[in-house]
Amino acid sequence: MISITRLLCGRLGPSDAMRYGHGATAGVREVGGRTVPAVVVWNCTAACNLRCAHCYSESGATTNENELTGDEARALIDDLADLGVRVLLFSGGEPLIRPDVIELGIYAASRGLRPVLSTNGTLITPQMAERIREAGFAYAGVSLDGLAQSNDEFRGVPGAFEQALGGIRNCLAAKVRVGVRFTLSRRTVGDLDNIFDLVRDNNIPRLCVYHLVYSGRGRAMAGDDLSHEEMRRAVETIFRRTEELAAQNAEIEVLTVDNPADGVFLYLQQREIDPARAAETLRLLRANGGNSSGERIGCVSCDGDVFPDQFWRTHILGNVRERRFSEIWNDGDNALLAGLRRRKDHITGRCATCRFFDTCGGGMRARAEAISGDIWAEEPACYLTDDEIHDEE
């Protein structure tokens, strides 16, 4: 995640200490000689009441009968807490379909983890919003991919927009910190300005704009991704609207997700008009290190499989029913994890010669593999020009 609000406007966000505070450009946090991810995504169920076109987990109407039980989930939480993981993101499917998700959130919080929700928002009634707050969930990210018609077409169910917006408003009323998650594609980019308006008009404190990842059902959408020039225009819109929100003193945090080129693009623009701000941006980007699959972020599926991140489902690292997550994550014989933690030695193409590799980490390996079949190929969604990535300052 890149905090556009922080880099562009200098405003601190609630998670900035975790995002920029460690100064490790490789993205690895070590405690007692062990690699510790800051965030673990747990897809706690495969069931979902929507049919989103880009769903990386290919979730559907039915529950996976092999999902981790409540006892197995608590054992996972115990292991993550003992390892030193800070954030456990409950995702799906739709996590609120899982009957014990609130109780598991309470348990995670009791073990010192920061539980957060990734939800479509349609099931957040006023009563559910109160339960989410009382359980100690620190944040609920609600997915909206446009206004009414475009969102409902993208998510496959009529009325999903109004239900999700109702869920957001219920969170706001219950004092649950909530945000909007919006995915850029040719099918949704026309609503980008509208989403900014919606966030502003409803005083929603956070907006995360995601770049499309070609994973799960999203693989079929690779052709619907924005061209590089379209990406640049969309990201420039994000910069402009973020500045407008700051000028209006709106307490709204804007982030972009899954394309670290956004931070470099911002730095290059700042360098021309505000060198001091640009230097601080570059320092923070280097401290963050960019993509951290297999390092600072990991994923556990509903049936216990462990992946380098939530989008990259073609490589299973192990299963928590067979070995604890902490053992899998620190297996010195796992070639993929070892490669990811020395990715500069392996990634090829434009990324290998890019002077901003230490701010980017080579981008999303799931996208590279989806397009080329090679996990170490260059990031296909990098929209920076050859001159921009090779021109020495």
Side-chain angles (χ1 to χ4, degrees):
M1 284 187 170
I2 296 170
S3 174
I4 304 303
T5 304
R6 171 72 183 275
L7 301 181
L8 186 59
C9 308
R11 291 189 175 183
L12 296 178
S15 300
D16 280 351
M18 184 171 68
R19 192 171 295 120
Y20 302 114
H22 299 289
T25 57
V28 179
R29 178 176 177 242
E30 291 190 356
V31 177
R34 297 191 298 175
T35 298
V36 181
V39 178
V40 170
V41 178
W42 177 35
N43 298 103
C44 63
T45 181
C48 189
N49 57 330
L50 302 184
R51 298 186 296 274
C52 304
H54 63 324
C55 180
Y56 66 79
S57 62
E58 300 185 82
S59 297
T62 58
T63 300
N64 183 335
E65 294 182 358
N66 200 33
E67 290 179 2
L68 297 181
T69 66
D71 286 343
E72 289 172 326
R74 281 182 283 275
L76 171 63
I77 290 168
D78 285 339
D79 182 45
L80 297 180
D82 292 342
L83 180 61
V85 173
R86 284 169 284 177
V87 176
L88 178 58
L89 191 157
F90 290 77
S91 188
E94 170 47 53
L96 294 178
I97 288 178
R98 181 170 173 126
D100 60 352
V101 69
I102 296 296
E103 288 71 25
L104 292 173
I106 293 170
Y107 188 71
S110 76
R111 287 303 324 270
L113 293 163
R114 181 173 179 254
V116 299
L117 277 174
S118 177
T119 171
N120 62 43
T122 61
L123 303 180
I124 304 179
T125 62
Q127 295 76 20
M128 178 57 74
E130 291 290 343
R131 294 185 68 199
I132 290 169
R133 178 183 57 77
E134 291 169 358
F137 281 95
Y139 175 73
V142 177
S143 298
L144 282 177
D145 291 301
L147 300 190
Q149 181 176 353
S150 55
N151 176 82
D152 292 358
E153 289 177 354
F154 198 68
R155 298 199 162 264
V157 174
F161 173 80
E162 290 298 336
Q163 292 174 41
L165 184 57
I168 290 171
R169 289 170 172 163
N170 291 333
C171 284
L172 292 170
K175 301 294 189 283
V176 173
R177 187 166 182 271
V178 66
V180 168
R181 304 164 73 246
F182 173 84
T183 300
L184 285 171
S185 72
R186 287 200 174 122
R187 293 171 59 176
T188 62
V189 70
D191 268 334
L192 179 58
D193 268 312
N194 294 330
I195 287 291
F196 268 91
D197 292 343
L198 181 143
V199 167
R200 178 200 62 205
D201 295 344
N202 287 273
N203 295 312
I204 301 169
R206 195 184 209 203
L207 170 61
C208 293
V209 181
Y210 284 71
H211 289 260
L212 183 65
V213 182
Y214 324 137
S215 178
R217 289 199 289 267
R219 289 181 70 97
M221 286 190 63
D224 289 328
D225 201 2
L226 303 178
S227 70
H228 289 178
E229 185 55 40
E230 289 169 333
M231 287 182 190
R232 292 172 78 98
R233 290 199 299 270
V235 174
E236 285 177 334
T237 296
I238 294 167
F239 296 164
R240 173 178 57 81
R241 293 303 305 266
T242 301
E243 285 191 301
E244 290 174 359
L245 289 173
Q248 297 161 3
N249 293 317
E251 296 295 327
I252 296 171
E253 181 185 26
V254 178
L255 304 100
T256 65
V257 189
D258 295 333
N259 195 335
D262 295 347
V264 178
F265 189 41
L266 176 57
Y267 160 74
L268 292 171
Q269 292 195 352
Q270 288 177 324
R271 195 178 63 174
E272 301 301 318
I273 57 175
D274 189 346
R277 171 68 70 185
E280 175 65 2
T281 290
L282 188 60
R283 183 189 72 80
L284 291 170
L285 291 172
R286 284 173 172 162
N288 178 268
N291 179 267
S292 59
S293 300
E295 298 178 287
R296 286 183 302 169
I297 187 168
C299 177
V300 180
S301 68
C302 65
D303 56 3
D305 285 338
V306 176
F307 301 102
D309 67 50
Q310 69 268 44
F311 296 101
W312 202 10
R313 298 301 180 104
T314 53
H315 300 275
I316 300 173
L317 303 175
N319 189 286
V320 299
R321 283 185 165 124
E322 299 168 2
R323 286 195 300 167
R324 291 179 300 174
F325 177 93
S326 57
E327 295 173 354
I328 295 168
W329 205 249
N330 284 279
D331 183 351
D333 294 325
N334 188 293
L336 179 57
L337 286 177
L340 288 170
R341 293 165 191 176
R342 296 183 59 88
R343 64 187 68 196
K344 178 65 173 173
D345 297 339
H346 303 286
I347 294 177
T348 62
R350 296 173 75 240
C351 295
T353 58
C354 176
R355 65 192 175 103
F356 295 111
F357 191 95
D358 61 347
T359 73
C360 170
M364 296 291 290
R365 298 295 89 210
R367 270 196 299 253
E369 184 178 33
I371 295 300
S372 69
D374 178 2
I375 66 171
W376 303 120
E378 66 186 38
E379 162 65 274
C382 177
Y383 54 82
L384 302 172
T385 68
D386 287 345
D387 286 344
E388 288 170 335
I389 67 172
H390 293 136
D391 180 31
E392 293 294 336
E393 299 176 53

